[in-house]
Amino acid sequence: MNFIICVILGFIIAASGSITPSFLNLTVVKFSLRNGKKAAFYLIGGYATVLFFQANIGAYLSSILMKNSEYISLIQKIGTGILFLLSLNFFRLHFSSKEKKVKEEIPKSKAYLHGIMMSSLNTIAIPFYFTTISLLIGLNYFEYSYLNGLYFSIGSTIGSFTLYSLYAIVAKNIEHKLTYIATKMDFILGALTGVVALGNLLYLLYK
């Protein structure tokens, strides 16, 4: 029963976090449109590999960092800097590539490794899991242990994979409606990461 509860909690939290626009699910849309649904699934597989460990780390930190708030502030500062760098890189890609990109097949291993890289750069994931799990602990819905953290990570991985897969499927089915968005995807990714980074910076300055 404890296994089922932890898996369900992980699934719900990961699905809730994955359904909102972010550079990860928008990258899934871009990959699905440009390279096909099959390549997008390998990309998502790369996401899931890293997300499993990120959820586990977030669960572990939730039992430690609640008593050491200075570490949370340090993580936020580092994450904000990385987000600004990501935003600048996406804008660079957008303004340096004016030619219309044709749909091409890419190696499965490249899509998977790209997913690992992108998910590793997602500095929001660990703080997100830390915050939500801390809330669950505070509400007595979750009690951390190595096994519970593992179960939670399994559920969160399934939840993220499911939601990202839906993005890939939807992108393929309504490709004619998303073509214009796909051409602006790097700009959208840059704007999203920039807004989040700016919000984090303002929070750190005025908290």
Side-chain angles (χ1 to χ4, degrees):
M1 181 62 70
N2 190 55
F3 169 79
I4 296 175
I5 293 174
C6 291
V7 169
I8 291 175
L9 287 174
F11 184 95
I12 293 174
I13 289 176
S16 300
S18 301
I19 199 171
T20 56
S22 69
F23 75 90
L24 289 182
N25 47 34
L26 289 179
T27 301
V28 169
V29 173
K30 181 171 68 174
F31 250 73
S32 184
L33 289 174
R34 293 178 180 175
N35 305 300
K37 185 168 59 178
K38 187 175 182 179
F41 284 141
Y42 280 95
L43 176 79
I44 296 167
Y47 285 0
T49 301
V50 177
L51 284 168
F52 173 82
F53 294 103
Q54 289 176 329
N56 218 324
I57 292 172
Y60 174 72
L61 292 179
S62 67
S63 64
I64 298 176
L65 295 186
M66 291 177 71
K67 300 178 182 179
N68 300 277
S69 59
E70 66 273 11
Y71 294 128
I72 301 175
S73 179
L74 176 62
I75 292 174
Q76 288 175 327
K77 291 176 182 177
I78 295 174
T80 299
I82 294 176
L83 283 172
F84 272 120
L85 292 176
L86 279 174
S87 179
L88 291 174
N89 182 59
F90 282 126
F91 282 128
R92 179 188 64 81
L93 291 174
H94 172 74
F95 290 109
S96 64
S97 179
K98 295 299 182 181
E99 296 181 0
K100 184 177 181 181
K101 297 182 180 180
V102 297
K103 187 174 181 179
E104 59 182 19
E105 192 70 26
I106 64 172
K108 299 173 184 177
S109 59
K110 186 176 180 181
Y112 178 76
L113 292 176
H114 188 73
I116 290 179
M117 181 189 69
M118 293 295 293
S119 191
S120 298
L121 292 174
N122 181 26
T123 58
I124 301 176
I126 293 177
F128 169 76
Y129 284 118
F130 163 76
T131 302
T132 52
I133 294 173
S134 297
L135 179 61
L136 291 175
I137 292 175
L139 296 173
N140 295 319
Y141 287 132
F142 184 83
E143 182 178 353
Y144 178 78
S145 69
Y146 288 115
L147 273 180
N148 286 350
L150 175 64
Y151 300 154
F152 181 91
S153 299
I154 292 173
S156 65
T157 302
I158 297 172
S160 297
F161 191 93
T162 301
L163 263 293
Y164 289 135
S165 296
L166 288 176
Y167 269 94
I169 294 171
V170 169
K172 180 65 176 179
N173 292 341
I174 58 173
E175 181 175 353
H176 62 288
K177 296 182 180 180
L178 295 178
T179 300
Y180 176 77
I181 297 177
T183 62
K184 305 295 182 182
M185 196 63 69
D186 287 323
F187 182 84
I188 295 173
L189 296 175
L192 284 172
T193 52
V195 168
V196 174
L198 183 60
N200 285 348
L201 180 61
L202 293 174
Y203 172 78
L204 291 171
L205 290 175
Y206 293 102
K207 72 174 183 178

